[in-house]
Amino acid sequence: MLKINEFTYEIEKEDIKDNFIQRVSNSNKGNFGYVGIMGGSIEYSGAVKLANLSASAMRAGCGVVRLIIPKGIAKAVAPYLLEQTIFPMIDKDEQMVFSGKQIDEALTKLKALAIGMGWGQSKEYEKILEYILNNYSLPVVIDADGLNTLAKMDMHILQDTKCKVILTPHLKEFERLSKIKIEDIKKDEITIAKDFAKQYKVILLLKGPTTIVTNGEKVYLVKRGCPGMATAGSGDVLSGILVGLLGYNEPDILTVAAGAYLNGVAGEIAQEKFTDISMIASDTVKYLPEVIKKIREE
């Protein structure tokens, strides 16, 4: 790691080699974790986006992906899936409604969960998120509308949960969570991110030209990525990578930083191939295997 100061380091390729070790010959899918991705709604146009999200989790190396989506969109999403499985949730107007029993069924055997991508807005989501944070102890990646839902709740739930919570906001989402204006965040992003993570006992991944990953004690900077990644669905791909890695890695700050690094370098390769104008989010997914090979070669 390149040391910036006493608690801040820039992540380099050799730092994350142990997240991608060679697998033994008698491995099975259970060794690498069942992970869940809970999201989707009728407003969320991306059956394809949901497929990209789950595909990125598979390419990141987990054993099984369970896509937990509203029942009303299951038929639209299914044709885009190959290796992934679907768990349809009770819904109303193609938006999930709270059912503790169904959540328990959906989360059975899961090693990690990503939640909120493409949810839209609903009071039901607060009940769902509250139930998971109050009743489970697994790693939970909260992104997109999951973050917007969380911002409307009592944030103290994060201090009491047994879950290992990973939040992945961009600056506007972080403004909603922290109640600090973007212009003020920009004055000292690292300190504000670090203080927030410490206060709420989370791992915070703050997206930007330099990605900031902090657990409130250490700060890891990931300076990988490119302008071509500024396209719809790129955040979904990152969430998929993170939950995929959490299927078989420790839910710590280095694993989260490894996900950001893997995502950023794959995006750089995709941009070189397709240009900053023409690349799309699924192009990043294509190059995840190439980046893993590069990391291992060191």
Side-chain angles (χ1 to χ4, degrees), residues 104-266:
D104 292 340
E105 292 173 2
L107 272 55
T108 299
K109 293 173 61 174
L110 293 190
K111 185 75 181 294
L113 175 70
I115 187 168
M117 295 66 61
W119 247 1
Q121 302 296 316
S122 169
K123 290 292 290 184
E124 293 292 301
Y125 301 151
E126 294 181 34
K127 298 176 187 176
I128 293 170
L129 188 54
E130 181 180 19
Y131 182 84
I132 292 169
L133 293 176
N134 281 338
N135 291 280
Y136 283 86
S137 58
L138 75 171
V140 178
V141 178
I142 305 177
D143 188 30
D145 285 323
L147 295 170
N148 295 330
T149 298
L150 180 63
K152 297 173 183 176
M153 297 167 60
D154 182 350
M155 295 280 289
H156 290 96
I157 193 171
L158 296 174
Q159 297 169 324
D160 299 327
T161 182
K162 292 180 181 178
C163 292
K164 188 68 174 182
V165 176
I166 297 99
L167 306 179
T168 60
H170 53 58
L171 275 174
K172 188 62 181 176
E173 290 165 337
F174 188 47
E175 179 184 63
R176 296 187 192 112
L177 289 169
S178 66
K179 309 299 189 287
I180 301 172
K181 294 292 185 183
I182 288 178
E183 54 265 31
D184 294 324
I185 295 170
K186 287 181 176 179
K187 292 174 184 175
D188 194 356
E189 289 182 55
I190 290 177
T191 300
I192 291 171
K194 181 171 174 284
D195 290 347
F196 179 92
K198 186 172 185 177
Q199 179 181 357
Y200 291 107
K201 302 178 182 178
V202 301
I203 296 175
L204 178 70
L205 185 156
L206 183 59
K207 300 170 185 172
T210 294
T211 298
I212 299 168
V213 183
T214 177
N215 60 1
E217 301 296 333
K218 294 180 180 178
V219 177
Y220 290 162
L221 304 179
V222 181
K223 298 184 177 181
R224 304 307 297 252
C226 57
M229 298 174 78
T231 186
S234 286
D236 298 335
V237 170
L238 173 59
S239 294
I241 290 170
L242 291 174
V243 77
L245 289 177
L246 290 166
Y248 62 100
N249 283 283
E250 290 298 315
D252 58 25
I253 183 175
L254 188 60
T255 296
V256 176
Y261 184 96
L262 179 60
N263 181 61
V265 179

